[in-house]
Amino acid sequence: STTGNAARGTELVSKYRGLGYVVLAAFDADIAGEQMAETLGQLVERLRPPAGSKDWNEALCLKNQILFP
């Protein structure tokens, strides 16, 4: 987690990419998430929450409600 710290995010992404990892980023679907994704740009592959979900936690909770009513 970068906890919204763009400098820390860039540092961590660069570190792991340097080790040969592909870095996936699952930011919230809000202004802060968009800003972090823009800051990290091409360094990461962004995973967006499904339409109608504000973040991945909400998406997973909704999925669990459907699977386990």
Side-chain angles (χ1 to χ4, degrees):
S1 172
T2 62
T3 61
N5 183 331
R8 178 74 175 140
T10 302
E11 175 187 325
L12 288 171
V13 168
S14 296
K15 173 185 174 181
Y16 287 105
R17 284 184 51 102
L19 295 171
Y21 290 94
V22 173
V23 180
L24 304 175
F27 298 116
D28 291 352
D30 60 11
I31 292 171
E34 294 299 325
Q35 290 172 338
M36 281 296 290
E38 186 175 315
T39 298
L40 296 178
Q42 299 299 314
L43 294 175
V44 299
E45 291 186 35
R46 182 162 185 207
L47 304 174
R48 295 180 184 272
S53 298
K54 66 181 177 90
D55 58 32
W56 282 99
N57 184 55
E58 183 178 274
L60 293 171
C61 287
L62 291 172
K63 180 181 178 184
N64 281 337
Q65 287 177 0
I66 292 168
L67 294 175
F68 307 105

